[in-house]
Amino acid sequence: MTVDIAGTAWPVYKLEAIAAGLAVFLVAMLIVGSMQVAVLGASALAAGVWLVGSVRQATRA
């Protein structure tokens, strides 16, 4: 499943990964208050969601 953003088809799992990373970043900044921890945590989670979504989509096709 894809979503059209500015004329480009994006798989939904990529948008989910970006949203999850942003949410983790904001929560980590509020709780920990460290930019380094927030960025590392958010990027790790976003990469994991992205990879899982990619594998899930590949197995469906």
Side-chain angles (χ1 to χ4, degrees):
M1 182 172 170
T2 62
V3 177
D4 187 43
I5 298 177
T8 303
W10 275 57
V12 174
Y13 71 87
K14 290 182 180 182
L15 299 174
E16 291 171 344
I18 292 170
L22 179 61
V24 168
F25 173 76
L26 293 174
V27 170
M29 278 300 293
L30 287 173
I31 293 173
V32 180
S34 170
M35 182 71 80
Q36 292 89 349
V37 172
V39 168
L40 288 174
S43 63
L45 179 83
V49 171
W50 190 301
L51 288 172
V52 168
S54 175
V55 168
R56 202 172 354 143
Q57 184 175 357
T59 57
R60 287 187 205 169

